[in-house]
Amino acid sequence: MPCRIAIDGPAGSGKTSVAKLLAKKLGFYYLDTGAMYRIVGLYLKNKNIDEKSHEEIEKELKKLNIQFKEGHFLVNGKEVSDEIRTPEVGIYASRFASVPIVRKYLTELQRKISLNENIVVEGRDIGTVVIPDAEVKIFLTATQEARAKRRYKELTNRGVKVNFEDILNEIILRDKQDSEREIAPLMKAKDAIEIDSTEYSLEEVVDMIYEVVKEKC
Ligand code: C5P
């Protein structure tokens, strides 16, 4: 039986670091669904498409080919660059993420990738919509301040020039957009285990989830 681990939570909750480390520890695949929304956000932004033009979006999505190969994404045959990681692309990702056709397109792709795999899938709606029957469901949170601090550190370490206030405002805006949208809003699945990571280290959170996995898979 496959073991699919869904990790959902708001921007900067530590999902990405937790999911990556957990996947490594378990020898599982790791799927970053936020990266997929970022890929689509950047792609449609570069085509100057408005999020209200649903027909145009649908047409453009037909020309887009996102492949998941050995843990990496290829977009129309090309490796994805760090360009998708900027706060600006995060805002576009979040904006286009409320478009039904975009969600349908990416949800189907995410289900296909996770089917029958031992995989850690990270996002906003994995336990509620994408894989509601996941063997393990985690909802990871932390305060907005703590999340902004982590994001700031992560981007600065990667050499991306950012300002703390911008990061905090981006987190506040994205929380609002992600939790208030009509389809697949960010929310805890009824049967998900909630972990507030504000006071815990990355390793501690990974160990907590690892124990749950050992029990359930
Ligand atoms: O996780 P990350 O911050 O990279 O995600 C970027 C944006 O993509 C989020 O703010 C959210 O709007 C959207 N997203 C989503 N559903 C997911 C993953 C990400 O709507 N499963």
Side-chain angles (χ1 to χ4, degrees), residues 33-34 37-38 93-94 97 103 123-125 151 174 178 181:
T33 63
Y37 282 91
R38 286 169 179 272
S94 178
R103 298 214 73 85
R124 302 286 190 292
D125 61 340
R151 195 59 138 214
R174 281 213 282 150
D178 292 346
R181 69 170 171 240

Side-chain angles (χ1 to χ4, degrees), residues 90-107:
I91 303 272
Y92 278 97
S94 178
R95 213 177 271 169
F96 286 107
S98 61
V99 177
I101 185 74
V102 170
R103 298 214 73 85
K104 183 170 180 280
Y105 173 87
L106 289 179
T107 298

